[in-house]
Amino acid sequence: MTVDDAMRERRDRFEGGALFIGPEGLEGLSVSSRMSSPRPHHHRTLVATMTFGEMFATRIRARHLHAERSPDRLDDPYSGYAQLGFVLSGRMRIEQAGRQNAIAPGAVSLLAGSLPFRTRIDEEAESIQLYVPLRLMRAHGYAPESWAGLTWDVTPSAVALHEILRTVTSGTNPVPATSATHVGHALRELALAVLHEAADRVHAEYDARAMYRERARAVIADRFADPSFDVAALAEELRVSPRYLHALFHGEDLTAGAQLRATRIRHAATLLAGVRTRDLTVAEIARLSGFGGDDQFARAFRRAHGITPSQYRAQHRSAAY
């Protein structure tokens, strides 16, 4: 298996090394992500890419460079890869799936090309990214979305991978084409070893996120009837940021806000259809279900059920007789 033609075509401009300077250079760099700079006229990026069988490595030395991979770019070939990254010098920041981390030498990071992300280099930094196929991760039981935006301290396998990548991307000893596949095999095995060694941390964080989701659902069930209770109040109750709360439910069927609305609608529907609650007015049911007003309740209920609360009540009353 080798890097596909669509990916190769997009990367040809970086093969062997290319220098990008100033605002025009930012446009030339904008392949998989939109590039910008807080100081565009001082921006400078040297980038080189090397292909090794099914994977490829990119070495970047950049100054004043911000990158954003937005949702509208997620249908390109890069969406099939994860970036396993090492910083050689300087510092950079990454943000993905609600995680924000600063990376320096001695750490490993992972960005999934299938999800939006941001990276920032405000001064100057040099880094290496190994592009690992997502299907390879999945085939070995690693869900890329669970790893997105994570950083961790280097492990023994990460040290070995770092040294090989540093050597083969240095430009002083180019890897012969006849050896590229063998190097790719070594990189593949080391990348899987890095993931294996870091898996305990990922599983621990995944378990923590699952725990927070359960706590969020419990708090919603307890406080949904309070009209002033919203997503910001839920985040405060859990002692997490609204951004992290949003990330907790990424990939779930419902966001935190949608779960709160669904709980209120479900409670209201129970009251509307109940025999013992038939004396309650629609306005009273709206208030008891956590809605701030009749109009808000009517709109939310119609979106969920396709009919008004009064029509829903009438249908269930006629069915009862």
Side-chain angles (χ1 to χ4, degrees), residues 203-251:
H203 291 155
E205 177 155 342
Y206 180 81
D207 290 343
R209 288 160 70 91
M211 179 192 71
Y212 270 114
R213 283 194 294 270
E214 289 305 310
R215 283 187 58 199
R217 294 185 180 106
V219 172
I220 288 173
D222 183 56
R223 297 190 56 189
F224 74 89
D226 178 0
S228 66
F229 182 71
D230 56 13
V231 172
L234 175 60
E236 185 176 353
E237 178 86 13
L238 297 175
R239 297 185 179 181
V240 300
S241 68
R243 182 188 294 271
Y244 185 74
L245 177 60
H246 176 77
L248 283 175
F249 287 89
H250 180 81

Side-chain angles (χ1 to χ4, degrees), residues 101 228 263:
N101 289 296
S228 66
T263 301

Side-chain angles (χ1 to χ4, degrees), residues 25-297:
L26 293 170
E27 293 183 16
L29 278 169
S30 296
V31 177
S32 64
S33 303
R34 183 179 66 83
M35 301 296 183
S36 62
S37 174
R39 303 177 65 187
H41 293 285
H42 293 83
H43 155 256
R44 177 187 176 92
T45 298
L46 178 63
V47 55
T49 296
M50 286 123 282
T51 301
F52 305 103
E54 65 180 333
M55 295 187 290
F56 61 97
T58 297
R59 185 164 179 163
I60 298 175
R61 187 175 187 87
R63 184 170 60 205
H64 307 306
L65 181 65
H66 294 185
E68 179 177 5
R69 183 160 172 78
S70 53
D72 62 307
R73 293 178 181 265
L74 298 183
D75 60 349
D76 69 4
Y78 284 86
S79 63
Y81 291 83
Q83 298 179 30
L84 202 56
F86 299 88
V87 172
L88 304 182
S89 63
R91 295 173 66 86
M92 63 184 294
R93 296 190 64 84
I94 66 170
E95 178 182 340
Q96 187 174 48
R99 300 178 174 120
Q100 299 182 54
N101 289 296
I103 317 169
V108 188
S109 64
L110 189 141
L111 292 170
S114 55
L115 298 174
F117 64 75
R118 295 188 182 95
T119 66
R120 287 178 50 183
I121 299 173
D122 289 325
E123 294 300 327
E124 184 167 315
E126 185 172 12
S127 63
I128 300 175
Q129 289 79 38
L130 178 65
Y131 285 75
V132 180
L134 297 188
R135 55 173 176 72
L136 179 64
M137 291 184 64
R138 294 189 178 108
H140 287 79
Y142 303 117
E145 293 73 18
S146 298
W147 293 71
L150 276 182
T151 63
W152 61 93
D153 293 336
V154 291
T155 59
S157 294
V159 171
L161 179 60
H162 172 274
E163 289 306 312
I164 291 179
L165 287 172
R166 189 167 191 153
T167 300
V168 299
T169 61
S170 66
T172 56
N173 295 297
V175 177
T178 54
S179 302
T181 300
H182 298 295
V183 173
H185 180 74
L187 293 175
R188 176 184 185 275
E189 295 306 310
L190 278 173
L192 290 173
V194 169
L195 296 175
H196 177 73
E197 289 175 347
D200 286 345
R201 167 171 180 176
V202 175
H203 291 155
E205 177 155 342
Y206 180 81
D207 290 343
R209 288 160 70 91
M211 179 192 71
Y212 270 114
R213 283 194 294 270
E214 289 305 310
R215 283 187 58 199
R217 294 185 180 106
V219 172
I220 288 173
D222 183 56
R223 297 190 56 189
F224 74 89
D226 178 0
S228 66
F229 182 71
D230 56 13
V231 172
L234 175 60
E236 185 176 353
E237 178 86 13
L238 297 175
R239 297 185 179 181
V240 300
S241 68
R243 182 188 294 271
Y244 185 74
L245 177 60
H246 176 77
L248 283 175
F249 287 89
H250 180 81
E252 298 291 305
D253 292 337
L254 296 174
T255 64
Q259 294 211 28
L260 176 57
R261 287 191 298 274
T263 301
R264 285 171 167 159
I265 290 293
R266 188 164 55 248
H267 182 72
T270 300
L271 295 181
L272 288 167
V275 175
R276 295 182 179 180
T277 54
R278 60 188 176 187
D279 292 333
L280 292 175
T281 66
V282 171
E284 288 172 330
I285 288 175
R287 187 175 66 255
L288 291 171
S289 301
F291 290 95
D294 297 352
D295 290 342
Q296 179 195 34
F297 174 48

Side-chain angles (χ1 to χ4, degrees), residues 300-313:
F301 197 91
R302 182 184 284 275
R303 280 197 299 269
H305 290 279
I307 56 177
T308 67
S310 296
Q311 290 170 330
Y312 184 90
R313 167 173 265 180

